[in-house]
Amino acid sequence: FPPPPPSAPVGRLADGGFSPYVGCKLFQQLPISQKTKDGLNRKYTEMSEIQRASLPHTLSGRDVLGAAKTGSGKTLAFIIPVLEKLYRARWGPEDGVGCIIISPTKELAGQLFEEFKFVGKYHSLSAGLLIGGRKDVDAEKERVNFLNILVCTPGRLLQHMNETPNFECSELQILVLDEADRILDAGFKYEVDAIISQLPKHRQTLLFSATQTKSVKDLARLSLKDPEYISVHAES
Ligand code: ADP
Ligand code: MG
């Protein structure tokens, strides 16, 4: 990380680690790329509470389970570390899939894909929306190996894993489950287990949802490494 901006108070992470960015209030104070800052600056100035609490951990590469109520800004809390992780790794077109984001519904996947395009506007990463119900699955199969970031529903992702020739995600850097409690519940058990079994274990994993998941079984299923639990109960 570059040296902290003079205005940022120093702070300590919950695990005893040290981050000079814990006290930051503004996106512009974060140790992130100018491309991401410029994307954020189109609309966003101050971080919400879940963003402030989680970004020092997610940006430092840790696994995080973040809980905060609906509408608290969880989407940016994972979009920013995804963009930064791939940007820092100098991820390019030939590197293939570096990030998979799983969302429980087409509608939510669509919304977060739009937010990705908005905030990621100045990055040269490619992102694709893979959701069920679209007819052009064959065209999608040709594109999918050239995408860096996949935003998907569990069923459609598994369909690609099973049917798309040469579908390849062995270099995956970061996995995100949005609305993780809904994705990990029984309804998606088959898809999630099948997906996880095909992903490399060495990766960063981020889970965000309205309620905190502490089920030891779920954490084992996802091979989380010493995850940081962050719960924000804003009294707004
Ligand atoms: P959640 O996933 O927690 O339900 P979202 O990420 O969908 O919440 O964000 C809810 C709304 O808040 C969105 O319209 C988003 O644009 C807005 N938002 C998120 N973060 C910020 C912020 N730091 N400043 C202002 N608005 C924000
Ligand atoms: Mg959300």
Side-chain angles (χ1 to χ4, degrees), residues 19-221:
S19 167
Y21 304 102
V22 168
C24 289
K25 284 196 162 56
L26 308 177
F27 287 114
Q28 299 297 319
Q29 296 173 312
L30 288 172
I32 56 177
S33 64
Q34 195 59 45
K35 288 175 196 281
T36 301
K37 285 185 181 176
D38 290 346
L40 289 163
N41 207 25
R42 299 171 74 201
K43 188 162 154 196
Y44 302 109
T45 311
E46 268 192 50
M47 289 183 267
S48 73
E49 210 159 330
I50 184 68
Q51 293 157 5
R52 256 168 59 190
S54 63
L55 281 164
H57 300 279
T58 53
L59 287 171
S60 70
R62 294 198 59 184
D63 287 357
V64 165
L65 289 92
K69 66 177 184 187
T70 301
S72 57
K74 294 189 289 294
T75 315
L76 286 183
F78 59 78
I79 284 181
I80 296 169
V82 165
L83 291 173
E84 289 306 299
K85 183 128 192 155
L86 299 183
Y87 179 73
R88 290 175 191 170
R90 300 172 191 275
W91 211 258
E94 67 289 351
D95 293 312
V97 177
C99 170
I100 292 177
I101 300 173
I102 304 179
S103 167
T105 70
K106 290 191 264 190
E107 291 71 26
L108 288 170
Q111 285 167 25
L112 64 97
F113 183 66
E114 291 307 311
E115 188 75 326
F116 240 103
K117 288 198 291 188
F118 185 86
V119 176
K121 181 176 159 71
Y122 302 106
H123 283 275
S124 47
L125 297 160
S126 58
L129 180 64
L130 309 180
I131 55 179
R134 290 186 155 191
K135 291 198 192 86
D136 55 348
V137 67
D138 290 327
E140 209 175 82
K141 284 178 183 172
E142 309 219 329
R143 283 178 57 230
V144 74
N145 279 318
F146 299 97
L147 296 170
N148 301 139
I149 298 166
L150 307 181
V151 179
C152 19
T153 49
R156 187 59 150 227
L157 174 60
L158 187 58
Q159 186 182 357
H160 278 291
M161 286 180 152
N162 290 336
E163 298 176 10
T164 300
N166 310 321
F167 181 84
E168 171 62 51
C169 53
S170 62
E171 294 301 313
L172 187 77
Q173 304 293 301
I174 179 164
L175 171 71
V176 180
L177 304 194
D178 187 27
E179 305 277 333
D181 48 358
R182 291 169 69 183
I183 292 172
L184 291 170
D185 85 6
F188 287 121
K189 181 165 177 25
Y190 167 77
E191 286 88 346
V192 169
D193 286 347
I195 289 166
I196 298 291
S197 73
Q198 298 185 53
L199 300 179
K201 283 205 167 61
H202 182 78
R203 57 161 199 262
Q204 186 179 8
T205 305
L206 308 180
L207 275 60
F208 281 92
S209 56
T211 58
Q212 188 61 275
T213 327
K214 278 210 173 179
S215 150
V216 176
K217 256 200 218 147
D218 285 342
L219 307 187
R221 270 167 91 196

